[in-house]
Amino acid sequence: MDRRNFLKATGWTALGLAASGSIFSCSGGQTIEAGKRLPADVRKRIAALRDKRVLWGDLHNHCAVTYGHGRLCDAIDAAREQLDFCSVTPHALWPDIPGADDPRLAWVIDYHTQAFKRLRAGGWEKYVAAMERANDPERFLTFTSYECHSMAHGDHVALCRDYDIPLFEAESVPDLKEKLRPYRAYVTPHHMGYMTGYRGYNWAAFVDGDEQTPFVELYSRHGNAETDMGDYDYLHDMGPRIYEGSVQYGLEQGHKFGIMCSTDQHAGYPGSYGDGRIGVLADTLDKDVIWEQLGKRHHYGVTGDKIKLDFSINDAVMGDEISASGKRRILVAVEAQNYIDYVDVIRNGRCIARLDGPFTADMPKGELVRAKVKINFGWNREEEYVHWTGQVRVDGGMIKDYQTCFRGAAFTSPQPGEKEFIARVNRVLGSDQNHVELDMYSSKNPNTTTPAQQGIILDVLMSPQGTITADVNGQQFTYTLEELLQGTKAHFMRGWLSEAVQFERACPEEAFTIGTLIEDEEGERDTDYYYVRVRQRDGQWAWSSPIWVNRK
């Protein structure tokens, strides 16, 4: 079968892709199109991502307001360092709490019920006042929220637009939703993939068209609930991941909802890197704009890196529902923060197109090179935190942008005998086009699969012979961009088994941008859903909200 006939057989046509990649049929595994040319509109959309504004937030995380670790004031400070908006979430109620006659669960029941009592004995009013004081319309926005556990329906967060919404008691999640109906509140299920009946989500309770639940949480510290397979399995003592609670299962039932990620952090660190964040498609830092975009599902989720994602079908954006006859023009453009592993276009639970990033990029040519360079600070084997002070500096070019990769402690929920923990807030103390001044705390990695180091990603435009320097804790380490494009470098600060600095392999523009325009010849169903998933080589992910296309 020649290439043109193969395209027709698969039901879609690839019109172009980024110069760095190839595009595959996921079902057939054959190369469909690869080349250097892109349609002008795809090139334009990729270029526009450089200046595209996405507002980043964390709408579900915890501190010691109820149970968890860390002061609320520190949590707000941590959020302000790397997010545009945030809600810190008290645990508030559990109508069907189990285990009254099970001694194994006595401690669990006690720490939940005592926390709920403290919240209602003045804690809620203090929390709301603190969140309202932290709201800064010019720089950083806050929302209030509270969490309802449920064995039958799964855990939910009630996210509130305003600061005067009551803290309700309820007999169930549907009862809570009914009581919140007169108010501006979204009620969102999370850690979807746990077993139904054991705080996993029950899709039988989802009501399409219910404006109270426009989105669900796909990823958090608990793991990845896109489906029952893949990266970030569920490892918490709450149990294994199953298909019937997953996002993919809900989509296959015909439900319509947007995708978001949150940290579900329990150590007072909203936005903790790698634990989950939401990106809202909004140009203006305004609570009403964010609230409206959340309701329209114009948002997406990431694990940590602030990956920029442009996904449209016939000019409809992620979260939209449209009607179409004939071909669907699917445009995808991505600006990642590291080497792109692959980008998938999913239709009705099947991958219909995969864009592969380069395994190793060619050395860029030209007097000035755009690249992204991540520098990590951490490791060692001691219990004490390492305090990092200093700066990263660029000579022979400029820092066009940067993003922090600040992590909180690796707590998901309290455990018996656990000592109280005070969060250490990582900060950027100053920056310009040539340097970023840092004040950070790293701990040892708790095991060989859980990172705890702090980091920063520099988006630089510089000569290959220009240098990048980490000047921290009295020591300097310097490399040219050309050296970093060839591979990762690292240094111990005090010899073997001490803390270390790592310069990751620099990522040139051809390795962190990709795009394509696909024409899907015809849909499979009366209503087809499409979404995009992005994986970086370092394991960071992004998932778009779906677009639904109804056949005319």
Side-chain angles (χ1 to χ4, degrees):
M1 181 183 295
D2 65 25
R3 179 169 296 176
R4 183 177 299 275
N5 288 332
F6 180 78
L7 287 169
K8 291 180 179 179
T10 59
W12 57 275
T13 305
L15 301 183
L17 68 158
S20 60
S22 300
I23 192 164
F24 293 86
S25 158
C26 291
S27 57
Q30 301 182 41
T31 303
I32 293 175
E33 189 67 58
K36 300 290 184 179
R37 298 183 62 83
L38 276 168
D41 50 354
V42 180
R43 294 198 305 271
K44 182 178 178 181
R45 296 279 276 271
I46 293 174
L49 288 173
R50 179 180 302 189
D51 300 317
K52 181 181 180 66
R53 189 175 188 188
V54 177
L55 298 180
W56 296 98
D58 182 1
L59 297 175
H60 171 208
N61 59 88
H62 307 284
C63 68
V65 168
T66 45
Y67 62 84
H69 295 286
R71 301 178 302 181
L72 178 59
C73 59
D74 293 331
I76 292 169
D77 285 347
R80 193 182 286 113
E81 283 293 317
Q82 54 188 359
L83 299 175
D84 299 300
F85 61 94
C86 174
S87 180
V88 182
T89 312
H91 301 89
L93 64 159
W94 191 344
D96 57 355
I97 192 167
D101 300 320
D102 188 343
R104 294 181 310 112
L105 302 179
W107 182 81
V108 176
I109 294 171
D110 184 64
Y111 84 67
H112 281 91
T113 55
Q114 292 304 313
F116 303 156
K117 290 178 182 177
R118 290 195 301 273
L119 186 63
R120 284 166 174 78
W124 174 254
E125 290 77 14
K126 293 178 181 178
Y127 157 78
V128 171
M131 296 301 291
E132 187 169 10
R133 284 195 304 271
N135 189 66
D136 179 356
E138 300 298 322
R139 182 168 177 259
F140 176 72
L141 305 178
T142 63
F143 297 86
T144 56
S145 60
Y146 56 91
E147 179 165 343
C148 174
H149 296 329
S150 172
M151 300 294 283
H153 295 96
D155 291 8
H156 287 66
V157 169
L159 177 71
C160 309
R161 163 60 181 82
D162 305 309
Y163 298 107
D164 59 352
I165 293 181
L167 177 60
F168 287 111
E169 291 284 4
E171 297 179 358
S172 64
V173 171
D175 182 41
L176 177 63
K177 293 180 71 173
E178 189 60 34
K179 289 178 176 178
L180 285 167
R181 201 166 295 281
Y183 303 91
R184 290 194 284 184
Y186 297 134
V187 185
T188 305
H190 57 268
H191 52 54
M192 316 289 291
Y194 284 119
M195 291 184 285
T196 308
Y198 296 91
R199 291 174 62 186
Y201 188 57
N202 183 352
W203 280 107
F206 189 90
V207 179
D208 282 294
D210 182 359
E211 295 181 354
Q212 283 185 299
T213 306
F215 48 85
V216 304
E217 184 183 284
L218 181 148
Y219 173 88
S220 72
R221 279 195 62 80
H222 285 265
N224 174 8
E226 179 187 11
T227 184
D228 54 336
M229 298 183 293
D231 292 354
Y232 304 108
D233 198 358
Y234 277 31
L235 304 177
H236 191 278
D237 55 16
M238 285 174 58
R241 176 174 61 180
I242 66 168
Y243 176 59
E244 284 78 8
S246 71
V247 166
Q248 190 69 65
Y249 181 85
L251 288 169
E252 281 298 295
Q253 304 310 300
H255 299 312
K256 298 181 177 68
F257 50 85
I259 298 299
M260 54 93 80
C261 302
S262 301
T263 61
D264 203 351
Q265 243 263 340
H266 282 63
Y269 217 98
S272 177
Y273 179 72
D275 293 340
R277 297 168 174 173
I278 183 173
V280 175
L281 306 182
D283 294 327
T284 304
L285 186 65
D286 180 275
K287 287 191 75 169
D288 288 328
V289 171
I290 292 173
W291 194 259
E292 181 180 4
Q293 292 295 83
L294 288 172
K296 290 181 176 179
R297 308 179 293 233
H298 291 171
H299 52 76
Y300 60 103
V302 300
T303 53
D305 275 354
K306 295 174 180 177
I307 298 167
K308 293 184 178 180
L309 176 56
D310 186 356
F311 165 50
S312 63
I313 300 178
N314 295 358
D315 297 323
V317 302
M318 64 179 77
D320 285 348
E321 181 178 4
I322 60 172
S323 297
S325 58
K327 297 178 180 178
R328 293 103 184 259
R329 291 172 58 85
I330 305 169
L331 191 147
V332 179
V334 176
E335 181 183 314
Q337 301 296 334
N338 205 303
Y339 268 73
I340 292 172
D341 191 2
Y342 53 82
V343 178
D344 289 338
V345 179
I346 305 297
R347 182 188 68 190
N348 300 336
R350 296 182 180 273
C351 178
I352 62 169
R354 170 164 288 185
L355 288 74
D356 274 342
F359 186 75
T360 303
D362 296 333
M363 183 65 67
K365 296 179 175 60
E367 295 182 1
L368 292 176
V369 171
R370 186 186 179 203
K372 297 191 179 184
V373 183
K374 186 179 183 183
I375 307 173
N376 296 306
F377 306 85
W379 292 271
N380 92 67
R381 68 185 314 178
E382 300 168 8
E383 294 297 331
E384 292 77 13
Y385 273 75
V386 175
H387 186 193
W388 299 86
T389 60
Q391 62 176 267
V392 292
R393 186 175 66 250
V394 168
D395 296 292
M398 65 179 65
I399 301 171
K400 301 292 290 183
D401 196 6
Y402 70 87
Q403 71 159 272
T404 55
C405 305
F406 293 159
R407 289 183 169 93
F411 296 122
T412 302
S413 63
Q415 300 298 322
E418 203 168 63
K419 295 180 180 179
E420 181 56 35
F421 173 83
I422 302 299
R424 290 163 173 81
V425 179
N426 305 290
R427 303 179 190 274
V428 172
L429 301 181
S431 65
D432 59 26
Q433 289 188 336
N434 297 109
H435 90 290
V436 181
E437 187 177 356
L438 298 167
D439 185 82
M440 304 175 298
Y441 296 86
S442 71
S443 65
K444 70 174 187 179
N445 299 321
N447 53 59
T448 56
T449 60
T450 303
Q453 63 265 23
Q454 310 300 341
I456 186 169
I457 300 172
L458 305 180
D459 186 345
V460 299
L461 183 65
M462 58 189 297
S463 163
Q465 300 309 312
T467 59
I468 299 175
T469 299
D471 183 350
V472 290
N473 292 4
Q475 298 189 53
Q476 291 187 12
F477 310 104
T478 301
Y479 291 98
T480 66
L481 178 60
E482 184 175 46
E483 289 176 312
L484 294 177
L485 285 164
Q486 294 170 352
T488 298
K489 312 292 184 182
H491 295 272
F492 287 114
M493 296 294 289
R494 297 180 291 124
W496 187 50
L497 301 182
S498 72
E499 63 273 18
V501 176
Q502 180 194 47
F503 295 75
E504 290 191 9
R505 179 191 291 266
C507 183
E509 191 166 15
E510 69 164 285
F512 65 74
T513 58
I514 203 165
T516 192
L517 178 61
I518 299 167
E519 288 189 347
D520 193 6
E521 298 289 344
E522 58 182 17
E524 291 183 310
R525 305 172 178 173
D526 290 338
T527 300
D528 299 293
Y529 68 86
Y530 301 77
Y531 69 93
V532 172
R533 59 205 297 266
V534 180
R535 189 184 194 276
Q536 295 182 169
R537 288 272 295 282
D538 61 359
Q540 297 293 322
W541 279 87
W543 295 269
S544 78
S545 288
I547 298 174
W548 292 266
V549 183
N550 300 312
R551 182 178 293 152
K552 282 187 176 180

